[in-house]
Amino acid sequence: MQVRSNMIPFPLNGTRQAQGACADCGVKSRAVCAGLAPEETGILTTIMSTVTLAPNQLLFEQGDLRSRAYTLTSGMLRLSVSLPDGRRQIAGFVTPGDYLGLSGEDVHTQAAEAVTACRLCSFPVPEMNRLMEQHPRLRDRLHELTRKALLEARGNLLMLGRLTPNEKLARFLLGLSDRAVENGQPATPLALPMTRTDIADYLGLTIETVSRSFSALKTRGLIQLADAHRVEICDRPGLTALAGLPV
Amino acid sequence: MQVRSNMIPFPLNGTRQAQGACADCGVKSRAVCAGLAPEETGILTTIMSTVTLAPNQLLFEQGDLRSRAYTLTSGMLRLSVSLPDGRRQIAGFVTPGDYLGLSGEDVHTQAAEAVTACRLCSFPVPEMNRLMEQHPRLRDRLHELTRKALLEARGNLLMLGRLTPNEKLARFLLGLSDRAVENGQPATPLALPMTRTDIADYLGLTIETVSRSFSALKTRGLIQLADAHRVEICDRPGLTALAGLPV
DNA sequence: TCGTCGCCTTGATCACGATCAATCCGACAC
DNA sequence: GTGTCGGATTGATCGTGATCAAGGCGACGA
């Protein structure tokens, strides 16, 4: 168990009505909005506000009432579940275009915190539900995203239950790299904005083991570290093979 | 890694047109069908056939094309993902009323095998998709089941990543007990139709550790074992506390 | 410039769960 | 009855990843 770093459980500091709207949004091809008609995104705009978060700021906590749904437009969040004794599991890292609120419970079952500075679109849940009823495409899109999230979560079960530390780290890096590509960034070098503690809590390891696994992948010539938060993937096939993933 | 028991990868031996239909179905209150109008279940019946599986018989394999969706009406299945070297992770046990096909991919990402003798309703995927478009309640019901599955999978991430063997087993037993209650059976004694190998692959442990954890829970007076496949939960609050679950 | 503070890495040791191995037990065949 | 076989339990030992500990490194402020 590690001591958590300075969380900032303050109310959101940057909520305001949306203005610039969705026309020039960088994630509109991947977010909920993808495939919506212009007038539908227009309607989304009417119920939308934007939120900004500073690094480590809390968006919501386990047990909070869920009153809003979100789309991340820039930055990175972590979703985590914690036990009373401090053990923590990070269920996933949220990257631009991802939607928060797919599981649709009344009360949040996980916490969401900013890894880096974040910008989000925020929608009131009741209005969102109403819109879903009126706009089949929006509803279908959310269903589709839910299915994808389910696939990802199930994939992570194998990772947590049966992979070795090196295999876990290889999978983690490849997953991040794929996401970077989806977001129009190069596959390598790869930014790792989260701390080693975050990575450890995502992979079910300790920070020391994560650090040693980074060193092991370096020694094998699979990756290079410019600094702790910047990875170059030198041998993608090798990394893929280590992760036990199909070519 | 353990050697797998006698799998039977034969074609299904009991596929036939449905006849008795849904009227006297024991799971209609929990399955996809729940909340559908009588004429809607009638339409489901027209595209449905039934399947029976013998213990350890394969319903589908990782990588198979997904041509049908299923509802389990009796028995128990395991969903598993395997690595080429034989390591296996069981993503979940399927109990009556559960639906197979929520994640909606074209190709199965996991295998489904019978733990006990099973009976299922089977629906062709294209027809099912067509019905979903025409019948909002069916579509909403599937979306709802997908959300529930997502919540369950995410809950299991914490279990696999951060719980000790005893805690894992406590959670597993409580989860099974809750499901038994949902299916109208007593919370205890609890039937454990799966083998220790299955439990181990579900919890990310070895069979020996599972067996030792059973013994540990017995010693603590939390459970009793009539035989290896029949558990009495003696101290539910104690078990819940050990599992780290809210009272 | 130096000192502090987070965070990361590396080394030494420990301990928990894996592995190896022996036995047990019930089911089934003969 | 006896023998075999699959699965579960229990014991002994091993090894990987956790824990404990020290040091490094970069950012920031005095």
Side-chain angles (χ1 to χ4, degrees):
Chain A
M1 187 196 341
Q2 282 94 34
V3 175
R4 303 286 157 239
S5 58
N6 38 317
M7 297 298 159
I8 311 173
F10 296 155
L12 310 176
N13 62 3
T15 306
R16 65 176 186 287
Q17 265 302 103
Q19 60 249 33
C22 308
D24 57 345
C25 168
V27 301
K28 63 164 173 266
S29 61
R30 294 179 308 287
V32 227
C33 345
L36 296 190
E39 72 266 22
E40 288 173 321
T41 54
I43 293 169
L44 268 185
T45 314
T46 63
I47 63 163
M48 187 181 101
S49 49
T50 60
V51 178
T52 59
L53 297 175
N56 290 321
Q57 198 177 344
L58 196 62
L59 181 59
F60 51 78
E61 181 55 281
Q62 255 174 295
D64 285 358
L65 272 179
R66 190 177 78 98
S67 57
R68 310 206 126 239
Y70 303 90
T71 289
L72 183 67
T73 55
S74 75
M76 184 182 276
L77 292 161
R78 57 178 168 258
L79 297 177
S80 63
V81 188
S82 297
L83 291 170
D85 65 9
R87 281 178 289 176
R88 187 178 71 151
Q89 177 66 43
I90 290 187
F93 294 101
V94 183
T95 53
D98 290 347
Y99 184 84
L100 293 180
L102 290 175
S103 53
E105 354 77 34
D106 299 333
V107 165
H108 286 291
T109 52
Q110 41 191 7
E113 295 156 318
V115 173
T116 65
C118 287
R119 177 174 294 271
L120 304 100
C121 299
S122 155
F123 313 93
V125 166
E127 275 89 336
M128 201 65 188
N129 288 339
R130 201 164 36 73
L131 280 187
M132 276 176 65
E133 284 169 25
Q134 292 162 1
H135 297 275
R137 264 185 295 210
L138 177 61
R139 188 230 306 132
D140 292 348
R141 182 81 182 118
L142 282 167
H143 193 171
E144 184 188 344
L145 292 175
T146 309
R147 285 192 300 256
K148 275 194 191 171
L150 178 60
L151 276 174
E152 191 194 325
R154 283 188 175 163
N156 280 351
L157 293 178
L158 174 70
M159 183 196 77
L160 284 170
R162 289 302 184 203
L163 296 193
T164 65
N166 289 351
E167 291 168 342
K168 286 177 175 182
L169 185 59
R171 239 175 225 236
F172 169 68
L173 294 175
L174 288 170
L176 268 191
S177 174
D178 290 346
R179 294 239 227 156
V181 171
E182 280 173 28
N183 283 322
Q185 288 158 327
T188 176
L190 188 63
L192 297 179
M194 70 290 290
T195 65
R196 293 293 188 261
T197 301
D198 286 339
I199 299 176
D201 285 345
Y202 179 70
L203 301 179
L205 302 168
T206 60
I207 52 169
E208 294 93 336
T209 300
V210 169
S211 192
R212 281 184 242 273
S213 288
F214 270 111
S215 302
L217 299 194
K218 264 196 297 187
T219 305
R220 296 201 200 179
L222 300 173
I223 63 167
Q224 262 179 292
L225 285 178
D227 66 286
H229 296 279
R230 194 134 206 101
V231 197
E232 173 103 25
I233 297 177
C234 307
D235 179 1
R236 197 180 182 84
L239 209 56
T240 308
L242 175 60
L245 291 170
V247 220
Chain B
M1 189 198 337
Q2 281 95 33
V3 175
R4 302 289 158 238
S5 58
N6 40 317
M7 296 300 158
I8 311 175
F10 297 154
L12 310 178
N13 61 3
T15 307
R16 65 173 186 287
Q17 266 300 104
Q19 60 248 35
C22 308
D24 56 346
C25 167
V27 300
K28 64 165 173 263
S29 60
R30 295 180 306 289
V32 228
C33 345
L36 297 190
E39 72 267 19
E40 286 173 323
T41 52
I43 294 169
L44 269 185
T45 313
T46 64
I47 64 163
M48 185 182 103
S49 47
T50 60
V51 179
T52 59
L53 296 174
N56 290 320
Q57 199 178 343
L58 197 61
L59 180 60
F60 50 78
E61 182 54 282
Q62 256 174 294
D64 284 358
L65 274 178
R66 190 178 76 99
S67 57
R68 311 206 125 240
Y70 304 88
T71 290
L72 182 67
T73 55
S74 74
M76 184 182 275
L77 292 161
R78 55 179 170 258
L79 297 178
S80 62
V81 188
S82 296
L83 290 170
D85 65 8
R87 281 177 289 176
R88 186 178 72 151
Q89 177 66 44
I90 289 186
F93 293 100
V94 182
T95 52
D98 290 349
Y99 184 84
L100 293 180
L102 290 174
S103 52
E105 354 77 34
D106 298 333
V107 165
H108 287 291
T109 53
Q110 42 191 4
E113 293 156 319
V115 173
T116 65
C118 286
R119 174 175 293 271
L120 303 100
C121 298
S122 155
F123 313 93
V125 166
E127 274 88 337
M128 200 66 190
N129 287 339
R130 199 165 37 72
L131 280 188
M132 276 176 64
E133 284 169 26
Q134 292 162 0
H135 296 275
R137 262 183 297 205
L138 177 61
R139 188 230 305 133
D140 292 347
R141 182 80 183 118
L142 281 167
H143 194 173
E144 184 188 343
L145 291 176
T146 310
R147 286 192 300 257
K148 275 194 192 170
L150 178 60
L151 276 174
E152 190 194 325
R154 284 187 174 162
N156 280 352
L157 293 177
L158 173 71
M159 182 195 77
L160 284 170
R162 289 303 184 203
L163 296 193
T164 65
N166 289 351
E167 291 167 342
K168 286 177 174 181
L169 184 59
R171 239 176 225 235
F172 169 68
L173 293 175
L174 288 169
L176 267 192
S177 174
D178 290 347
R179 293 240 226 154
V181 170
E182 281 173 28
N183 282 321
Q185 289 159 325
T188 177
L190 188 61
L192 298 179
M194 69 291 289
T195 64
R196 295 292 188 261
T197 301
D198 286 339
I199 299 176
D201 285 346
Y202 179 70
L203 301 178
L205 301 169
T206 60
I207 51 168
E208 294 91 337
T209 300
V210 168
S211 192
R212 280 184 242 274
S213 288
F214 269 110
S215 301
L217 299 195
K218 265 195 296 184
T219 305
R220 296 201 200 180
L222 300 174
I223 62 168
Q224 262 179 292
L225 285 178
D227 66 287
H229 296 281
R230 194 132 205 104
V231 196
E232 172 105 26
I233 297 178
C234 307
D235 178 0
R236 197 182 183 85
L239 208 56
T240 307
L242 175 61
L245 292 169
V247 223

